Structures are given as structure tokens and as C-alpha cells.
Amino acid sequence: MQFQWCSTLNIKTAIIDDSLRIHQIALAAFSRDQVPKRLIDEQLAAGQVTYLLAETDAQAPAKADLLDEGTVEGTQVVGFLSYRAILDEVDLSFLAVDPAFQGQGIARELMQAFCEQNNERKAYLEVAENNVSARRLYEKFGFEIYARRDGYYHDGQTAILMEKNL
């Protein structure tokens, strides 16, 4: 697979040593601390939540300031997806891509891995109504709206609840 800056992309499951890079990407992508590092550490240590990481061996353009951390033997983490699976259901919690690597299909690859790992489960997620690009991605993967929560987010934005049988 070829990307503008990414020559190869690998999806792997995170380990505790990946928590700092996950946190950095979350801060950059969400513009507020929605995923505190302490929480990431606790979730990874307890095995409560699975974090899928997108790694590349490419370098970001010069404007990227996040990519010094998280580089290991020529690879760097450029995105993540987190989820919690319980019996036959799975809740997708977060999906984020380093802003320097957005628009290159990385979120799509993370979603594909998520769907493959959770086949035969019912998946749920919530997304802000104004997050058009995320909503389009989820719809492309067959997620459908089943409810709305007006004023759900800190900024008063409506949450769109989506589901899909994987």
C-alpha cells in the first residue's frame, strides 16, 4: 500500500510502552485531553481495552512536531483505534491519526483491522454530529445511526450513535 508519506503501514496491537505516543496523537487529534495518559496506561496494563496502532517507516513532512517520540527502529506510530470487547459486543472508543498523516487512508486501515478482529460481534460507537469525515468513514464500513444524544459533548454538540453487525 502506498501513501503520500507512508511507504509501508503496519497495524499492530499496542503494549504499555506505546502509551506515550498514543497520548500524543490523541492530544494532537482531539485538541483536548480526552484520553489521559494515566488512563491509557491503566487500560493497557489491565488488558481492559485493545489499542490498535498504525505504524509506518516513513517520515512526516517538516511541519510535523509530534513525530520525534514513538519512533522505534525506523518505524513510528501515526494513528490508533481503541475498543473494548465484552462477549458478543464491541464498543469502539477512539480513532485518531496524527494530523501530519491524515487524509492518507490510515483511519480506513485501522477500521478494517478493527472489523476483522471483531467479526461476528455487534459493534457500537458514538461520533460528534459535526465530525463529518469520521461519520463518512463509519458509514463506508456499514455503520448505521440508531440514536442521537442532543447536547452530549462538552461543547454542546450532538452525539450520533451508530451500530453494525460485524
Side-chain angles (χ1 to χ4, degrees):
M1 117 184 17
Q2 294 292 319
F3 297 97
Q4 182 179 352
W5 300 307
C6 302
S7 59
T8 61
L9 187 69
N10 180 49
I11 306 295
K12 72 170 199 168
T13 303
I15 60 172
I16 192 75
D17 292 343
D18 297 314
S19 68
L20 177 60
R21 185 63 185 134
I22 293 167
H23 184 245
Q24 290 173 325
I25 291 170
L27 284 174
F30 300 137
S31 73
R32 61 186 300 241
D33 198 4
Q34 291 185 10
V35 193
K37 184 174 180 307
R38 176 190 49 75
L39 176 64
I40 297 165
D41 289 339
E42 290 171 3
Q43 290 174 334
L44 287 171
Q48 297 172 331
V49 173
T50 300
Y51 283 83
L52 299 178
L53 303 182
E55 285 185 327
T56 181
D57 63 359
Q59 296 300 310
K63 69 178 183 170
D65 60 334
L66 290 177
L67 301 175
D68 293 334
E69 298 286 337
T71 301
V72 179
E73 297 179 23
T75 65
Q76 59 192 0
V77 176
V78 296
F80 74 90
L81 181 152
S82 65
Y83 68 88
R84 180 185 311 258
I86 301 173
L87 301 173
D88 61 346
E89 294 183 354
V90 61
D91 180 37
L92 191 157
S93 304
F94 293 100
L95 173 58
V97 175
D98 184 319
F101 286 88
Q102 289 177 358
Q104 298 180 53
I106 294 169
R108 183 185 67 242
E109 294 298 320
L110 285 163
M111 280 297 295
Q112 184 65 41
F114 166 76
C115 290
E116 289 171 5
Q117 287 187 10
N118 290 288
N119 61 356
E120 299 189 24
R121 286 189 168 133
K122 187 157 191 169
Y124 297 93
L125 61 87
E126 68 183 45
V127 60
E129 184 173 49
N130 67 347
N131 191 343
V132 176
S133 60
R135 288 179 57 194
R136 279 192 201 129
L137 175 69
Y138 301 142
E139 288 168 359
K140 284 180 184 177
F141 276 87
F143 281 82
E144 296 179 350
I145 297 171
Y146 71 90
R148 300 168 51 91
R149 291 184 180 148
D150 294 330
Y152 180 76
Y153 292 107
H154 70 282
D155 61 358
Q157 190 61 231
T158 296
I160 303 297
L161 283 67
M162 303 178 85
E163 65 184 357
K164 176 187 177 179
N165 287 318
L166 299 175

